Amino acid sequence: MIDTTMTKRMEEATRLTRAGKLHEAMAVLQGATPEAPYRKDDAFEGNTFEGSCQVVDEEMTASRPASAGPIGSIGSESRRTDEPDAQAASFTAPGPASQAPPAGVPGGGLGVTAAWRDKWLKFRGAGVQPTHARSTTEESLPGAFTAGRFTNSVGTRDYKLYIPSGHHGQALPLVVMLHGCTQDPDDFAAGTDMNRLAEEWRCCVLYPAQPMTANSSKCWNWFKAEDQQREGGEPAIIAGMTRQVIDTHGLDASRVYVAGLSAGGAMATTLAMTYPDLFAAVGVHSGLPHGVAQSLPDALGAMQGGTGPLGGRAAQASGWASEVPAIIFHGDRDTTVHPSNADRVAAQYATARKQAKTASEREDNARVTVEQGQVANGHAYTRTTHHDAKGEPRLEQWRIQGAGHAWSGGSTQGSYTDPKGPDATGEMLRFFYRHQGGRSVN
């Protein structure tokens, strides 16, 4: 139970903060935490909390051994976070979101417990800027990029949703976009330029957000067994969020597509494997196959071009394959996720076609065309297309010459993009619109 003395101190600290008297506010608040003496050198300038301020969470800290390094590292060695998937070895699984708010929350470095920190936020009006989408659902209007939050029995994720200006209640298609590590919905939307093209193609775009509380580098946990199954883990959260958006806005449930970059690309193919009834087509950019990793060592091995059984022992035993049409992009100079993973992703989607009953069906399903191209003042590429018996594309694989670990044809307004093309966003939308509920659209 909160004592009245502490409550008064919190109220006084809040009043001083709003008056711009941060030094005085810190002194008042510090009176409640004698274990961390107040020092003027620790004072913060302006209206933000800077420096080495960190939130101290007693439950999380107590659960970590004394020999462990900072959260988000292995041992005491810090990991770089300048590559979307280079941090496979830094993946962690902290507790619920309420246990690890964004850096900069008052109380960091002062020994303030989580309960008092939350009380402080309540008195301040929770005026801390979030790391991604806002926690409250905004009204979604045509032409607006709004934020929301989805919760089901598995977990909670924030998201951003773009509705094109031409939407007036029509049952439009939906594209689900999964960002890479260290990215967020705003960054990914800017880099892929998907919202601008959504205006041209007339579709809605959903950007689920992975918080640092779920993964220290904001990577989707494609390498964990619990996040590789239907009705469980992150796939169930994303699928549930997708269905809710479809129902809320009256979108076309037969034209729902998913695409992702890097860790997001790996999760996109996992969704195609686990929810083939929900997604009509999938786009995988610089990603990995479903089920190739069950642990961190597995993840690192796969990213470096591991030569183990396709899909790993568990995935191989369960026969993972999907008939969901797929379009795959990968740069041949990707040093983060080895380019061989593109072939391994393609193999999982090709498996279903190889299971055709008759020789004639197998011959039709094996029809392949190969096209060499060159973007003006940009990259050369090879596009390999696998057609079905009707001649419709079921699998497209783009190998981009000279490209690294970046979204092909993306905008410099976002991270991990390569403006030299080809245009992955436009090509994915073209491919997606050829498919509806798993069927080709003439």
Side-chain angles (χ1 to χ4, degrees), residues 125-215:
V128 178
Q129 292 297 317
T131 56
H132 46 76
R134 289 168 56 184
S135 61
T136 56
T137 300
E138 302 171 344
E139 182 180 2
S140 299
L141 300 173
F145 197 26
T146 55
R149 170 170 290 183
F150 171 79
T151 300
N152 63 7
S153 60
V154 181
T156 297
R157 291 294 185 278
D158 288 349
Y159 63 82
K160 295 295 287 287
L161 176 65
Y162 184 78
I163 298 181
S165 57
H167 181 248
H168 302 293
Q170 313 97 305
L172 297 182
L174 175 66
V175 179
V176 179
M177 294 287 286
L178 301 175
H179 62 74
C181 299
T182 76
Q183 296 181 312
D184 59 29
D186 292 289
D187 179 24
F188 198 41
T192 60
D193 209 17
M194 181 62 82
N195 292 352
R196 181 182 65 81
L197 287 179
E199 287 287 336
E200 299 178 11
W201 287 84
R202 199 65 63 82
C203 63
C204 296
V205 191
L206 173 65
Y207 299 84
Q210 179 75 319
M212 292 182 68
T213 50
N215 183 289

Side-chain angles (χ1 to χ4, degrees), residues 35-58:
E35 65 273 24
Y38 173 79
R39 295 176 300 172
K40 188 175 181 180
D41 291 341
D42 291 335
F44 305 98
E45 298 179 0
N47 289 317
T48 59
F49 288 83
E50 304 173 342
S52 60
C53 175
Q54 291 183 329
V55 174
V56 175
D57 189 299
E58 291 181 336

Side-chain angles (χ1 to χ4, degrees), residues 323-334:
E323 294 185 3
V324 173
I327 180 169
I328 302 164
F329 280 80
H330 216 120
D332 67 359
R333 294 189 181 179
D334 189 336

Side-chain angles (χ1 to χ4, degrees), residues 234-246:
E234 291 173 358
I237 298 174
I238 298 170
M241 177 190 297
T242 301
R243 288 177 175 136
Q244 183 183 76
V245 169
I246 293 170

Side-chain angles (χ1 to χ4, degrees), residues 308-320:
L310 178 63
R313 289 188 296 273
Q316 188 180 45
S318 59
W320 282 113

Side-chain angles (χ1 to χ4, degrees), residues 347-399:
Q348 288 192 324
Y349 292 100
T351 300
R353 292 191 306 280
K354 293 178 181 178
Q355 296 173 348
K357 295 180 180 179
T358 67
S360 61
E361 286 177 336
R362 286 195 295 271
E363 182 179 351
D364 286 333
N365 289 335
R367 189 178 302 164
V368 178
T369 59
V370 179
E371 172 192 355
Q372 304 286 340
Q374 172 79 51
V375 177
N377 300 316
H379 293 300
Y381 61 86
T382 301
R383 177 173 68 168
T384 303
T385 307
H386 300 253
H387 304 270
D388 63 16
K390 297 180 180 179
E392 293 296 330
R394 300 289 297 181
L395 173 66
E396 278 191 20
Q397 185 174 351
W398 294 67
R399 186 177 183 87

